[in-house]
Amino acid sequence: MTEEKKKDKYSFDCLEKECGNRVCCTRPIVTVTIDDISRWTNQQLLSHIMHAITIHTPESETDLFRIETKRQPLKADPDKSACFLFNEESNTCTIRYSRPISCRTFPLEFTGDRYILSNKECAGIGRGKPSKESLEEARDLAEQEYREKMSTVSALPGVYSLFTLQMIEQSAKAMEGLSEEDRQSIQEIMSRGDSSESAPESPAEDAD
Ligand code: SF4
């Protein structure tokens, strides 16, 4: 008799503050979507969260724009870092009640054609009872995260350029309002900055 291969079923139940490794908070990138920002705006939370998020601009031709949380070194292991919104003392996420969708779907991820576990170290994997309903719910959320991530990636370069252009225009307008004397002072300060960057600060530095 052929032994039927038993298929693993996905089940998940987060240990929250009882979790020993918090790999959800220490994973290298915690992405945020425009929908997350829109939800925080509607919940009047954005001003409390803004300081913790940033726009990553592409560093190579294959890199993409994204919104992500800032990082902070772990007190227990300063060589490692965690999401800026992770509270190490209480072992909690400070915005758990409205955390980014990438955290709500973690560790399940949809890649566009299949579901993967983005981190097998998550202690919540295999906990709880596997059921058709919970699997469907987890898959729907992973697909929603994928859609939100894709629309953020496509909208972000345009939004970023628009804001950059606006800032340049505002700076140019502010410069127009300055007197000739003020403008010259600013140019002097800026040229001093340039020369201090290129010149060695002391003869001792020159000796090397
Ligand atoms: S999502 Fe996983 S790693 Fe994060 S707290 Fe829950 S069980 Fe721990």
Side-chain angles (χ1 to χ4, degrees):
M1 194 174 120
T2 320
E3 199 179 311
E4 208 173 277
K5 205 178 174 190
K6 201 179 159 192
K7 275 194 177 176
D8 285 334
K9 286 193 178 128
Y10 177 73
S11 70
F12 170 77
D13 186 21
C14 179
L15 277 92
E16 302 192 22
K17 61 194 297 187
E18 305 308 322
C19 180
N21 66 16
R22 294 296 308 211
V23 284
C24 51
C25 302
T26 56
R27 66 195 150 120
I29 301 165
V30 175
T31 53
V32 168
T33 64
I34 289 176
D35 295 75
D36 288 320
I37 294 182
S38 166
R39 186 183 67 257
W40 292 330
T41 305
N42 293 335
Q43 294 171 334
Q44 301 188 332
L45 292 172
L46 189 60
S47 58
H48 303 289
I49 299 174
M50 195 75 123
H51 69 285
I53 58 177
T54 187
I55 294 178
H56 166 87
T57 52
E59 287 166 2
S60 68
E61 277 185 17
T62 51
D63 199 8
L64 298 170
F65 273 92
R66 63 173 179 265
I67 312 171
E68 63 189 26
T69 61
K70 291 181 186 169
R71 311 289 299 175
Q72 58 180 337
L74 281 173
K75 293 187 183 92
D77 188 352
D79 289 339
K80 291 186 182 159
S81 67
C83 168
F84 202 80
L85 294 160
F86 175 52
N87 183 324
E88 204 174 338
E89 279 75 28
S90 58
N91 200 30
T92 54
C93 166
T94 51
I95 54 159
R96 176 145 184 100
Y97 46 88
S98 188
R99 61 199 189 284
I101 191 166
S102 71
C103 303
R104 277 183 278 144
T105 189
F106 183 89
L108 191 68
E109 196 176 313
F110 183 61
T111 63
D113 56 9
R114 67 199 174 102
Y115 304 91
I116 58 160
L117 286 175
S118 60
N119 192 315
K120 291 181 181 161
E121 303 291 306
C122 168
I125 300 170
R127 293 181 83 242
K129 273 195 182 158
S131 73
K132 199 169 166 251
E133 291 72 29
S134 62
L135 181 61
E136 266 172 21
E137 207 177 301
R139 284 183 166 182
D140 285 350
L141 192 62
E143 284 182 29
Q144 189 189 334
E145 194 249 347
Y146 176 78
R147 285 192 298 272
E148 288 189 17
K149 203 162 57 183
M150 289 301 111
S151 63
T152 300
V153 162
S154 66
L156 211 48
V159 174
Y160 185 80
S161 306
L162 195 64
F163 276 109
T164 308
L165 190 66
Q166 199 169 16
M167 278 170 70
I168 292 170
E169 280 174 2
Q170 281 173 356
S171 305
K173 263 194 197 149
M175 286 292 275
E176 274 171 22
L178 292 176
S179 66
E180 190 54 35
E181 201 182 332
D182 288 342
R183 237 182 273 184
Q184 275 180 7
S185 307
I186 290 174
Q187 270 165 6
E188 256 180 56
I189 293 166
M190 287 176 73
S191 62
R192 256 185 262 150
D194 286 350
S195 57
S196 67
E197 264 176 32
S198 53
E201 280 186 4
S202 69
E205 278 185 36
D206 219 8
D208 287 339

